[in-house]
Amino acid sequence: MPVFHESRKNTIILIFILLFVIIILRLFTLQVITSKYKDLAEDQGLFRKVIYPDRGIIFDRKKNAILQNTNISDLMVTPNKLRGIDTLALCNILNIDTAQFKKRIVELIIKNGRSRPSVFAPLLSTDKMAKLNESLYKFTPAFYLQDRSIRSFPYDAAANVLGYTAEVDTNFLKKHPDEGYVPGDYAGMTGLERSYEKVLMGVRGIEYWKRDNKNRLTERMENGQYDTVATAGQNIYTSIDIELQQLGEKLMKNKLGSIVAIDPRTGGVLAMISAPTYQPNYLTGSERRKHFSELFLNPSLPLLNRTVSATYSPGSTFKTLQALIGLHEGVINTDTKFSCSGAFYGCGGGKPMKCLDLGTFDLRGAITLSDNTYFANVMQRVIDNPKYPNVEIALSSWDNYMYSFGLGHKLGIDIPSEKSGNIPKPETYNKIYGKGRWNFCTFRSVSIGQGEVSVTPLQVANEMAYIANKGWYITPHIVDSIEGGDKFGLLTKYKKKNRPIDIPLEIFNAVHDGMQNVVDNGTGVGAKVKDIVICGKTGTVENYYRGVKQQNHSFFCGFAPRDNPKIAIMCVVENSGGFGGTYAAPIVGLMIEKYLKDSITEKPRKDRIEYLSNLNLFPKNIYKEIRRQDSIRHSKDKKYLIEKGYIKSVKDTVGIEDDQIDNEDLHEDKTNNIPPKKSEKKEIKPSAIIEKKKKGKKRIN
C-alpha cells in the first residue's frame, strides 16, 4: 500500500507540474511570442486619436485673412467592429436608409479594408453632431467622431485663386505615395491650396486615450506621455488685394471672361477674376460633395480658372509687340508711314485683309487707331528681312521675340492648370503646307493677333508689365512670403527679373506714346480716369461657333500710371458684341481707379459700376449649350456621361487632379436640368471653352 500510494502521489504531482508548465508556456506564447491578444486587449482598452492640425491661413496684401479655419467633425467607422451596432438608430440620425448604410460600408471596405478607420459621414452639420454626441455610446467601438479643421472664407471672392480642399481618394494616394497621406486626410485640390499644400497642411498629431468597459473615453494614457503634438500649417501672405478682387468679380457678373491685374514692380498678382465664378464657401461643409458635382457638371465650368486655362486670339493687343519687334529689327522707325485705302494688299488682291481705318499713319498713330495695314506691313518686313536666309529662320527669330515677351510657354505662376498658349513655329507650317511651300502671306493674320497665335489672359497682363517696365518682368505670382520661412524654396523663382532682350528705352517710349493716345484720344477712351495717365490697347476679336459668326470678344489691356507704373491689367469680355473700348476698357478704368485711388467716390463712377455689373452679356449660343448638355446628362446617368466622354472632357478642361464626383450625387435633384429663368443667377459656360473658332478674316481694334 505505501508503495502504491507513493506512486499515485508522484503521478498526481507530475500531472500538476505538467499542467503548470503548459499554462506557463501558453502565457509566454500569448504575451511574448504572439501579439494577437495583446493587440485585442489594447484595442479594447486604448483609443488612438488622430489630431488634424489647422491649415495655414492665407492673407491678402493688406494682411486681411482671406482663407481661414473653422472646426467641424467627421463620423469615422472601422468596419470589422460593426457587430451589435444599432444601425437603424444611426441611420435615423444621419437621414439615410439601411440600404445606403450597407452600400457605404461596402464601398469603404473595398476602398480601405475592414480594419482601417474610414470617413463614413464627412463634415457633419451642427445638428447631426449634437445628436451623435448624445448617442455615440450606442455605436462604439465601430464609430467615433474625428475633429477636423475645415476652411472658411471671410470674403465671398477669389474662389478660383484660393482653391478648395477635399478628402484624398485612392487615385490621389497612388499619385502621392511618399507624402504621408492616409485615407481620411484632406488635401488641397486646386488653386493656392494645391500649389502650397506642403506649406499649408501642417503635421498630424496623435493622442492615446483609455477606454472603460463601455468603450467610453476616460483619460489620456500615461497623462499624454506617448502623444505627439499636431503642428499647424504655415501662414502665407499674398499680393491679392481682396477689395480689388471683389470689385472685379462684381463688374464681371453676368459675363464671360476674366481680369488679371499685376504689380509690374514685383510680379505680384493683385486680382485674378474668372467669370462666371462660384461662392468659395459652397465647397465646404457637409454638402461639399453634392455641390462639387453640381459645379463639375455645370456647362459653364465655374471650376475652370479662365485667367490661366482659357486661351484666345490676342487681337489688336498683339500690335504693341509687333511694334517693338519692328523697331528693334530696324525694319521701321517711329516716323515710318503706311497707308490704308481699305485693305492690306501686300499679298496681292486675292483676299485682301480689311482695314477700316483709312488714311496714312506713323507708328504712334497706328497704335492709337489700331490700323491693321500698318502692322501687317511691319511683320512682312520682319519676315522678309534680307538678313535672314530663308522664311523659316526669319519666323524662328520672330518666335524668339515672342517667347521672350512671355508668350508661347507657361510663365510658371504659382497656381495649377496654366496653359502655354501658342506661337506658331516653322514646323507648324511645314506640317500643314510642306517645307518651302509657305511664306508671310500664308500666316498674315498672325500680324494682327489672329490665326494660329493664342494667349492666356495672364500672358497678356504680363506682356503689359513687360512694356510698362521697358524691357523686364518678374514671373507673375500670388504668394509674396511664407511665415516661418520658405523651407521648400517655392518662392525662389519669383525674386529675379527676366530681361530677355536688350531693347533701347526710346523704343519703349514710342510705344508708350501710342498707348497713351489710345486712352486719351483713341479706341480706349472708355478707360480714362481723372488725374491718372493710362497707357492701353484695345482689341476686338471676331469669333465663330460651329461655323456661325458670333458676337465679338472685347479686349483691353494697359498699365498705369505711365511714369512709375503700379498696375498692369488685362480684361476680356467674351461675345460682348462691342469693340475693345465698349466694355473691357471701362471695366479696366474702374479697376485702375480703385487700386490707385483706393476708392471710387464720385457718383457718376459709382453709377458706372452698377451699370456694368447689371449688364447681362451672355450670348444666345450659351443657352443652347446648356440645353444640349442637359440632354447629354440624361437624368444624370453617370454611365451615359462616361460613354459620351463628357466627364473626361470636363476633367481635362478644368484640370482637376481627381474625379471627386460621388455616384449618388449624379442621381440627385433633377431640377438642375431646368434651363434658368432670366431672373436666376445661372452660371454659363464661356464660349472660349465651348467654341471651335473658325479661321478666317477677323476685324480687330
Side-chain angles (χ1 to χ4, degrees):
M1 285 297 290
V3 174
F4 172 78
H5 287 296
E6 185 68 26
S7 175
R8 185 178 179 185
K9 176 183 175 183
N10 291 337
T11 301
I12 293 172
I13 291 173
L14 185 61
I15 291 172
F16 272 102
I17 291 174
L18 184 60
L19 289 173
F20 181 76
V21 169
I22 290 172
I23 292 172
I24 293 297
L25 288 174
R26 183 58 178 161
L27 289 173
F28 179 80
T29 301
L30 291 175
Q31 296 183 25
V32 179
I33 296 177
T34 179
S35 61
K36 176 181 177 182
Y37 292 97
K38 176 185 176 183
D39 291 343
L40 287 173
E42 288 184 351
D43 188 53
Q44 206 51 32
L46 291 178
F47 177 72
R48 181 179 180 272
K49 184 177 183 180
V50 177
I51 306 299
Y52 287 97
D54 285 344
R55 288 178 71 85
I57 300 173
I58 299 179
F59 297 90
D60 82 339
R61 62 188 292 269
K62 296 179 181 178
K63 306 298 186 292
N64 297 305
I66 56 177
L67 179 53
Q68 55 191 23
N69 302 297
T70 188
N71 293 323
I72 203 166
S73 294
D74 292 339
L75 180 63
M76 308 293 291
V77 63
T78 307
N80 65 357
K81 298 180 180 180
L82 280 171
R83 288 183 298 274
I85 296 298
D86 189 347
T87 302
L88 185 59
L90 182 61
C91 288
N92 289 335
I93 293 174
L94 297 177
N95 295 323
I96 60 175
D97 57 34
T98 53
Q100 288 174 296
F101 178 91
K102 293 175 183 177
K103 180 183 177 183
R104 289 190 191 182
I105 293 298
V106 170
E107 288 176 347
L108 291 176
I109 290 173
I110 294 172
K111 181 179 178 181
N112 298 323
R114 294 177 178 274
S115 60
R116 179 178 291 172
S118 301
V119 179
F120 182 80
L123 308 176
L124 297 167
S125 65
T126 304
D127 179 57
K128 289 180 181 178
M129 283 176 59
K131 291 178 179 178
L132 280 169
N133 275 320
E134 290 179 1
S135 308
L136 194 60
Y137 69 92
K138 298 178 182 178
F139 316 124
T140 56
F143 289 92
Y144 66 91
L145 290 174
Q146 173 68 65
D147 294 334
R148 189 180 298 281
S149 173
I150 66 164
R151 301 305 242 170
S152 65
F153 300 81
Y155 298 88
D156 187 15
N160 289 103
V161 177
L162 298 171
Y164 60 85
T165 59
E167 183 186 353
V168 302
D169 63 7
T170 305
N171 291 331
F172 186 96
L173 294 173
K174 288 178 180 177
K175 291 178 181 178
H176 307 273
D178 303 319
E179 297 180 22
Y181 294 103
V182 296
D185 285 355
Y186 276 61
M189 295 296 168
T190 61
L192 295 181
E193 292 275 36
R194 176 72 252 154
S195 298
Y196 290 89
E197 171 69 8
K198 288 182 181 179
V199 171
L200 295 168
M201 67 182 293
V203 180
R204 293 184 297 271
I206 302 293
E207 290 180 356
Y208 294 94
W209 287 78
K210 294 180 180 179
R211 291 195 286 204
D212 61 16
N213 60 349
K214 293 185 178 180
N215 286 303
R216 294 174 297 194
L217 301 183
T218 56
E219 61 180 348
R220 304 269 278 277
M221 180 181 176
E222 301 296 334
N223 294 319
Q225 179 180 346
Y226 301 106
D227 296 350
T228 56
V229 180
T231 304
Q234 294 174 265
N235 299 332
I236 61 178
Y237 295 86
T238 72
S239 53
I240 292 292
D241 185 315
I242 195 61
E243 292 183 358
L244 187 67
Q245 179 78 24
Q246 287 178 310
L247 174 62
E249 293 189 10
K250 181 175 183 177
L251 291 169
M252 291 299 291
K253 191 169 68 172
N254 301 318
K255 301 168 187 65
L256 311 176
S258 59
I259 305 172
V260 180
I262 296 173
D263 185 338
R265 301 165 298 179
T266 65
V269 174
L270 303 171
M272 182 172 271
I273 293 92
S274 178
T277 185
Y278 62 94
Q279 295 179 330
N281 280 307
Y282 201 58
L283 291 183
T284 61
S286 57
E287 299 293 306
R288 194 205 72 82
R289 290 186 66 85
K290 177 184 176 182
H291 292 164
F292 178 86
S293 295
E294 292 172 1
L295 293 173
F296 184 86
L297 294 176
N298 189 322
S300 70
L301 295 184
L303 295 173
L304 178 73
N305 188 347
R306 293 162 179 82
T307 62
V308 295
S309 297
T311 59
Y312 311 82
S313 295
S316 290
T317 60
F318 202 57
K319 294 173 181 176
T320 54
L321 301 182
Q322 297 283 35
L324 290 177
I325 296 173
L327 290 169
H328 191 248
E329 284 284 288
V331 298
I332 62 167
N333 58 50
T334 56
D335 296 322
T336 300
K337 293 180 174 63
F338 295 104
S339 297
C340 173
S341 60
F344 169 67
Y345 293 102
C347 292
K351 288 187 177 179
M353 190 164 61
K354 289 184 179 180
C355 170
L356 300 183
D357 305 297
L358 306 181
T360 300
F361 306 97
D362 62 8
L363 178 73
R364 293 176 176 84
I367 293 175
T368 301
L369 293 178
S370 196
D371 181 65
N372 288 349
T373 293
Y374 191 96
F375 292 98
N377 275 293
V378 170
M379 187 173 183
Q380 186 174 39
R381 287 192 177 188
V382 171
I383 298 300
D384 293 343
N385 194 334
K387 76 175 186 178
Y388 299 116
N390 57 57
V391 67
E392 290 190 25
I393 294 176
L395 182 58
S396 294
S397 176
W398 181 87
D399 287 342
N400 288 335
Y401 277 105
M402 290 301 173
Y403 299 149
S404 298
F405 299 150
L407 305 184
H409 62 89
K410 295 179 182 180
L411 289 168
I413 191 171
D414 51 351
I415 54 174
S417 302
E418 182 188 3
K419 298 295 186 291
S420 61
N422 184 64
I423 295 296
K425 305 176 182 65
E427 295 78 13
T428 303
Y429 299 115
N430 284 338
K431 185 176 181 179
I432 297 173
Y433 302 103
K435 190 174 180 64
R437 303 185 65 181
W438 54 273
N439 55 35
F440 166 74
C441 292
T442 307
F443 56 85
R444 61 185 175 176
S445 60
V446 169
S447 66
I448 56 173
Q450 296 287 168
E452 292 77 21
V453 63
S454 65
V455 297
T456 65
L458 175 70
Q459 289 173 331
V460 178
N462 184 66
E463 165 195 326
M464 290 296 104
Y466 172 81
I467 295 175
N469 291 331
K470 299 181 180 179
W472 61 269
Y473 68 89
I474 295 175
T475 301
H477 56 279
I478 297 173
V479 174
D480 283 339
S481 63
I482 300 172
E483 190 174 285
D486 182 15
K487 301 174 183 178
F488 303 101
L490 300 176
L491 305 181
T492 303
K493 66 179 179 180
Y494 305 123
K495 304 300 182 183
K496 62 180 182 179
K497 292 182 180 180
N498 299 291
R499 194 185 294 273
I501 301 176
D502 187 17
I503 297 178
L505 294 180
E506 55 267 23
I507 289 179
F508 285 102
N509 289 333
V511 173
H512 285 199
D513 289 341
M515 293 177 70
Q516 182 179 337
N517 288 336
V518 168
V519 178
D520 289 347
N521 308 297
T523 56
V525 291
K528 266 189 177 181
V529 177
K530 184 180 178 181
D531 300 326
I532 298 176
V533 178
I534 299 174
C535 295
K537 188 70 193 76
T538 54
T540 305
V541 183
E542 290 185 356
N543 65 97
Y544 293 80
Y545 175 63
R546 297 180 180 174
V548 179
K549 187 181 182 305
Q550 304 299 307
Q551 299 274 40
N552 296 330
H553 295 328
S554 177
F555 282 66
F556 186 83
C557 58
F559 58 88
R562 176 172 176 174
D563 296 326
N564 189 24
K566 296 180 176 64
I567 182 172
I569 185 168
M570 185 275 179
C571 173
V572 54
V573 184
E574 296 180 25
N575 297 106
S576 64
F579 296 104
T582 309
Y583 301 114
I587 287 174
V588 166
L590 290 165
M591 293 286 285
I592 289 175
E593 181 176 359
K594 167 63 178 171
Y595 182 68
L596 295 182
K597 293 187 175 183
D598 196 47
S599 61
I600 297 174
T601 57
E602 295 181 0
K603 187 177 185 304
R605 301 295 284 173
K606 288 183 175 180
D607 291 343
R608 189 68 171 164
I609 291 174
E610 295 305 316
Y611 167 76
L612 289 169
S613 174
N614 293 324
L615 199 61
N616 189 332
L617 297 176
F618 285 137
K620 292 180 180 179
N621 67 289
I622 300 301
Y623 292 101
K624 291 180 181 178
E625 181 66 15
I626 287 179
R627 289 191 290 272
R628 190 178 76 84
Q629 297 298 355
D630 286 342
S631 65
I632 289 178
R633 280 205 293 273
H634 199 71
S635 299
K636 294 190 175 182
D637 183 343
K638 185 174 183 181
K639 182 179 179 182
Y640 185 82
L641 287 166
I642 292 172
E643 289 174 353
K644 291 296 181 183
Y646 179 65
I647 285 181
K648 183 180 186 303
S649 174
V650 174
K651 282 183 63 179
D652 292 343
T653 302
V654 172
I656 63 170
E657 187 159 344
D658 299 289
D659 183 357
Q660 299 165 53
I661 295 182
D662 194 328
N663 289 349
E664 292 178 11
D665 297 332
L666 290 170
H667 294 278
E668 293 177 357
D669 190 13
K670 297 180 182 179
T671 59
N672 285 336
N673 289 332
I674 300 173
K677 297 178 181 178
K678 290 184 179 179
S679 60
E680 294 176 347
K681 295 181 179 179
K682 182 73 173 180
E683 294 175 314
I684 310 300
K685 182 174 181 180
S687 59
I689 306 306
I690 65 170
E691 285 186 355
K692 294 182 179 179
K693 295 183 180 178
K694 175 182 175 182
K695 296 179 182 178
K697 298 180 296 182
K698 299 175 184 180
R699 158 70 177 154
I700 303 176
N701 253 339

